[in-house]
Every structure is written in C-alpha cells, then in structure tokens.
Amino acid sequence: MKIACAQFSPKLFMIHKNLDCILSCMLRSSKKGVDLLLFPECALTGYILKSISDFDNFNNDEILSAIEKIKKESIRLDINVAFGTLVKRGESWFNSCYIATRKGDLFYQNKSHLPSVGADRFIQPEDSPLRVYNIDNYKVGIIICYEARFPEMGRSLSILGADIILNPTNYPKKSEKITDYILPTRAMENKVFILSANRCGVENEMEFLGKSTIYDTNGDILAQADNQSDDIIHAEISVENARNKKIVFSDNYNHCGTNDIYNDRRPQVYIL
C-alpha cells in the first residue's frame, strides 16, 4: 500500500483557505495512488492561540462543514485521509484527529496529553481509553504531537493491533530530538509503521520544524520532508511487516535464536 504525509503551513482561523489546501493535496495524492494520507495537527484551524478568547474567532459550524466536505471528497477520490483540527463539542473545545475513509466512515480521537502550548492550554483533555481504527485491511492508531513522548501510548496501540501509528503534529523548530530519536524508537520498539505529519512556517511568532517523516518497523526513515517547504512525501509499505513481531539477532551464529517482542513481555514486573 502507498502512504503519504502532507506538510504545509496552515493559516490560523482561516478554515476555508486551509480546507482548499487539504482538498488540493488529497486530489494530488489520489492521482498518485495514495491509500492513506496524513495531515498535520490542527491543519484545518491553526494552533497557536494566545488566549482563550481567541476561540471566539472560530465558527464551529464552519469547522464541522469543512470536516463533512473532506469526508465526501475522500469517498469521491477513493482515498483515506487523517487530519487535525480544533473542534467544539457541547461546551468544550478539543484538539482532534479525524479519519475520513473512502468507504464513508468518519472516526475521530481527541488529544489526551496536553502541553502548555498554544490551544492546548485551554482545551479539554480526552479521558477515554485508546482504540485502533479498522481501515481497509489494516489497523491504525493515533498519537497526537506531544503524546509521542509517552511510550505507553505507542505500546498500548500496538497491543491493540495497530499496524500503523499516525502522528499529526505541530513540533516547533527545536524539536529535532523527537523526529531523530523518539519517533524512530516508537516505531522500532513496537515494530509498527509511523507517519509523522508536521507543519512548517510560522504562526504567532512560533517557528515550526517541518521534517515530516515516514518510519518503517525498524525505525528507519522511508521518506522525509525538509524543514521549510510545503510537500507531500510518499512510501510503499507492506502491513505484514508490522504483524511480524519476531527479532532474529543474527543468522550467522548457531547460538543465536529468535525472540518475539510481544510474547516476551512480562507485565507482572512492570510498574506503570
């Protein structure tokens, strides 16, 4: 299957303009045969709010309408799409990642671990248990931005059967250690594919890292964007690689065997 990350610079409060960019990237990716396309965190709304009163600049009906348009376009273009947005449910705002499938399903997951940055200072954290989402013939889990720092997230999703972990993010410029060390470690320790779609550009004086990246099940980089440009990166993968949790330490020595990183777990000795 073909997977992709779209890197661009969303404009704060400009839902219509961000939607146009998302739809354009969907069309381009569909023409290239992409099966799953990931956009950054808060791609639809922007992220760096200065105060809670900034939410007054959003029209939640416009956000919900844009989400519905992405859903309809994913069906028309025959592509699965995941994207981030701020959205209001009831009286509370959430930082959400939506998945719109080509079959017409619409899933979402709210961010549960909130850094003291941007809109996350003012929104409601999610308390519901993690889950994975069935898309076509594979399973997807979601870790939004800051949540990558918590290894429990990746391991929990992997135990639930995730083949691919989506990491929509707004990593700022000085976050190279996340892309260089934390995310490849999450991929390797759980033997899953990770798509990390970051934004580029500047928003309310915060400069973003870019470097959207696709990692394989060994933590190696399959594709990576630069730190400045709008881009769509692609990779071909086989989800079967994420379902084989065995490790062969060496084929050259008779005294080396095979391990299974899931069957070798010993939860009785862990304190979490």
Side-chain angles (χ1 to χ4, degrees):
M1 62 176 291
K2 194 169 188 177
I3 56 178
C5 294
Q7 176 173 294
F8 75 109
S9 179
K11 307 305 178 188
L12 187 62
F13 307 127
M14 300 178 68
I15 310 301
H16 182 73
K17 187 168 185 176
N18 296 331
L19 175 62
D20 284 347
C21 184
I22 290 171
L23 296 179
S24 175
C25 289
M26 288 173 62
L27 177 60
R28 290 162 55 197
S29 297
S30 175
K31 289 180 177 179
K32 292 186 177 181
V34 170
D35 296 289
L36 176 62
L37 173 62
L38 175 64
F39 288 90
E41 177 184 22
C42 296
L44 191 56
T45 54
Y47 174 68
I48 301 297
L49 275 59
K50 291 185 174 181
S51 70
I52 194 169
S53 63
D54 282 344
F55 282 105
D56 294 337
N57 294 309
F58 289 119
N59 181 333
N60 197 54
D61 288 338
E62 183 182 12
I63 294 172
L64 295 174
S65 175
I67 292 170
E68 188 63 25
K69 288 178 181 177
I70 294 171
K71 175 186 174 181
K72 290 179 179 179
E73 196 69 355
S74 68
I75 298 170
R76 188 183 75 83
L77 295 175
D78 192 31
I79 186 172
N80 302 307
V81 180
F83 58 96
T85 184
L86 299 173
V87 64
K88 190 176 184 181
R89 300 189 189 92
E91 298 302 314
S92 300
W93 283 90
F94 294 90
N95 184 340
S96 297
C97 177
Y98 278 80
I99 301 175
T101 76
R102 53 181 153 212
K103 295 179 180 179
D105 298 313
L106 186 66
F107 308 116
Y108 70 84
Q109 181 170 306
N110 300 322
K111 194 173 184 179
S112 56
H113 299 70
L114 304 178
S116 297
V117 181
D120 284 333
R121 294 173 295 165
F122 315 115
I123 67 171
Q124 185 73 20
E126 179 59 64
D127 295 324
S128 300
L130 290 172
R131 58 167 294 191
V132 296
Y133 305 90
N134 292 300
I135 303 175
D136 295 341
N137 63 340
Y138 54 92
K139 294 182 178 181
V140 170
I142 299 170
I143 294 176
I144 302 175
C145 198
Y146 176 63
E147 295 180 323
R149 290 179 176 267
F150 298 86
E152 300 92 339
M153 294 282 289
R155 179 49 52 96
S156 296
L157 290 170
S158 300
I159 290 172
L160 289 171
D163 302 305
I164 299 169
I165 291 178
L166 305 179
N167 177 233
T169 183
N170 277 187
Y171 292 133
K173 188 176 181 180
K174 294 184 179 180
S175 299
E176 290 93 345
K177 288 186 177 180
I178 299 177
T179 56
D180 293 348
Y181 300 109
I182 291 179
L183 289 173
T185 298
R186 297 289 168 268
M188 182 182 71
E189 68 190 1
N190 295 299
K191 293 206 73 177
V192 295
F193 295 96
I194 292 183
L195 282 70
S196 180
N198 196 18
R199 63 162 295 164
C200 54
V202 178
E203 186 175 86
N204 270 340
E205 301 177 354
M206 178 172 282
E207 187 173 356
F208 292 91
L209 177 65
K211 289 184 70 174
S212 297
T213 309
I214 300 173
Y215 304 88
D216 70 10
T217 57
N218 293 316
D220 294 324
I221 293 174
L222 297 177
Q224 187 172 64
D226 66 22
N227 60 0
Q228 296 180 340
S229 307
D230 289 6
D231 197 5
I232 303 175
I233 58 172
H234 309 87
E236 294 276 355
I237 66 166
S238 171
V239 293
E240 293 302 322
N241 292 340
R243 297 169 185 172
N244 177 9
K245 304 300 183 182
K246 296 186 183 299
I247 299 174
V248 179
F249 287 99
S250 177
D251 293 325
N252 300 322
Y253 301 100
N254 292 330
H255 55 270
C256 290
T258 300
N259 284 75
D260 187 301
I261 62 169
Y262 280 30
N263 291 339
D264 291 347
R265 294 177 64 250
R266 302 190 66 211
Q268 67 271 25
V269 304
Y270 307 148
I271 301 174
L272 296 175

